[in-house]
Amino acid sequence: MAIPSVYHPSYFVETREASMRKLPIVAKAVEASGLGKLFYPPPATRDQLLRIHTAEYVDAVLTGKGPLSESAFGFWSRRYLRGVLHINGGCLLAAELAMEHGIAANIAQGFHHCRPDTGAGFCTFHGLALVAALHPDWKVVILDCDEHAGDGTAEFVRMLPNLSQFCVCGSPLGCKDEMRSIIRQVQPGDEQSYLEYLEEGLLWTLHQNPDLVIYQPGVDSHENDLYSRAKVSAGLLRIRDERVFAFFRERGIPCFFVLAGGYQEPIEERLLPLHLQTFAAAHQVYIQDLNY
Ligand SMILES: [Zn+2]
């Protein structure tokens, strides 16, 4: 009776921001609270990553040689490499678990800003696009509610005909609407518009007839986050998560979620409760289905 939640001890890396430091703290709390049951993923392979990234970029990260290897975080280490490979393998496992159980999570972050040929903004490889690339017969929609729009995702949407995204964000990062990449910007503190854009995003997603939805419930739009422009409350984020999970469960559309952004510290006191309430919302909505 718990959400299948993908995690591996290698996810922990000493990043400057909370980005990867938060992952073991969230995983431990998810397991201890009974909201999630942990599943260990295998690492993504070079062949898998080459389906969406250039060989020059993949090999730079695999070897730690050259400036491209540091393009996501500004540093490279063996531990970091191991972490990002497992995190991206984790998306593939979470997708399979979602197809089986209706809901799953990957206790990870760091996908939607990287490009086919480089990392960017704490994102190394695009594990979400990787799911679409390795399952060309699935229609995959990313519902991205991180503070920042999926500017990297937009490039993968152009590459992959079975991938699309809808972003509800405070910071569009120059992203413009395209055919299968929709961007809605929330003005600071405008929670009513936030929920209206969310409804539009849910209906748009449904209209794409997805086989799988990947939800990015970022908490960096929270009013106290150092990267927030949208400045919304914890209550709004909880309503958002409940609405998203209830919408897809009612329609029988499999969904997995990741953590996405969220940078407040101390992590245990300020950030963990925001990520945990996403798990609580999913658990509340799917509890009757989780009988494995
Ligand atoms: Zn963000």
Side-chain angles (χ1 to χ4, degrees), residues 112-113 146-148 220 261-263:
H112 69 164
H113 297 314
D146 190 86
E147 163 64 21
H148 308 93
D220 46 356
Y263 303 95

Side-chain angles (χ1 to χ4, degrees), residues 28-41:
K28 192 173 162 203
V30 163
E31 188 178 40
S33 61
L35 293 170
K37 178 183 173 190
L38 300 187
F39 289 76
Y40 281 10

Side-chain angles (χ1 to χ4, degrees), residues 153-187:
T153 304
E155 290 202 20
F156 291 95
V157 166
R158 285 177 218 130
M159 279 170 47
L160 299 167
N162 63 325
L163 179 67
S164 56
Q165 71 163 343
F166 192 105
C167 300
V168 179
C169 64
S171 307
L173 306 179
C175 273
K176 301 270 190 285
D177 270 359
E178 294 176 45
M179 273 285 276
R180 288 178 290 111
S181 185
I182 309 298
I183 313 295
R184 293 289 178 266
Q185 183 182 9
V186 178
Q187 295 307 316

Side-chain angles (χ1 to χ4, degrees), residues 20-291:
M20 291 174 85
R21 279 188 286 115
K22 71 185 178 183
L23 304 177
I25 297 168
V26 175
K28 192 173 162 203
V30 163
E31 188 178 40
S33 61
L35 293 170
K37 178 183 173 190
L38 300 187
F39 289 76
Y40 281 10
T45 65
R46 179 175 183 271
D47 281 351
Q48 288 172 336
L49 295 170
L50 288 178
R51 298 286 290 271
I52 58 165
H53 291 287
T54 63
E56 186 189 7
Y57 176 50
V58 171
D59 288 337
V61 177
L62 290 178
T63 60
K65 290 187 182 140
L68 272 179
S69 66
E70 302 186 350
S71 53
F73 283 89
F75 74 93
W76 183 93
S77 67
R78 293 216 166 271
R79 171 145 207 138
Y80 160 74
L81 170 63
R82 195 157 175 261
V84 296
L85 291 178
H86 278 93
I87 277 173
N88 283 275
C91 286
L92 300 173
L93 178 55
E96 286 171 20
L97 289 166
M99 286 307 211
E100 187 180 344
H101 301 288
I103 184 73
N106 186 15
I107 304 177
Q109 49 34 266
F111 310 106
H112 69 164
H113 297 314
C114 69
R115 307 295 211 275
D117 59 352
T118 184
F122 315 146
C123 300
T124 310
F125 298 125
H126 205 307
L128 316 182
L130 189 61
V131 171
L134 294 182
H135 297 283
D137 51 331
W138 295 354
K139 277 187 121 177
V140 177
V141 179
I142 299 170
L143 179 60
D144 195 330
C145 293
D146 190 86
E147 163 64 21
H148 308 93
D151 53 349
T153 304
E155 290 202 20
F156 291 95
V157 166
R158 285 177 218 130
M159 279 170 47
L160 299 167
N162 63 325
L163 179 67
S164 56
Q165 71 163 343
F166 192 105
C167 300
V168 179
C169 64
S171 307
L173 306 179
C175 273
K176 301 270 190 285
D177 270 359
E178 294 176 45
M179 273 285 276
R180 288 178 290 111
S181 185
I182 309 298
I183 313 295
R184 293 289 178 266
Q185 183 182 9
V186 178
Q187 295 307 316
D190 189 352
E191 298 197 345
Q192 190 179 334
S193 294
Y194 195 108
L195 292 175
E196 286 168 8
Y197 290 146
L198 183 67
E199 287 304 311
E200 184 190 355
L202 291 169
L203 291 175
W204 188 89
T205 301
L206 187 62
H207 192 67
Q208 309 310 305
N209 210 12
D211 297 291
L212 174 70
V213 170
I214 304 176
Y215 177 40
Q216 286 238 112
V219 298
D220 46 356
S221 285
H222 184 265
E223 54 203 348
N224 295 335
D225 198 281
L226 63 155
Y227 292 111
S228 181
R229 220 186 139 270
K231 302 279 179 197
V232 297
S233 63
L236 183 279
L237 295 174
R238 173 68 192 233
I239 291 166
R240 173 195 73 176
D241 294 343
E242 284 177 14
R243 177 66 184 142
V244 169
F245 292 130
F247 185 89
F248 294 119
R249 181 190 175 265
E250 276 167 27
R251 288 158 182 83
I253 300 171
C255 173
F256 86 81
F257 64 97
V258 296
L259 301 189
Y263 303 95
Q264 295 182 51
E265 303 211 37
I267 293 171
E268 284 87 347
E269 288 153 42
R270 297 178 61 181
L271 187 56
L272 176 62
L274 295 173
H275 283 308
L276 265 191
Q277 72 175 10
T278 302
F279 283 83
H283 193 262
Q284 180 185 312
V285 168
Y286 287 93
I287 181 83
Q288 293 145 347
D289 308 342
L290 298 169
N291 53 2

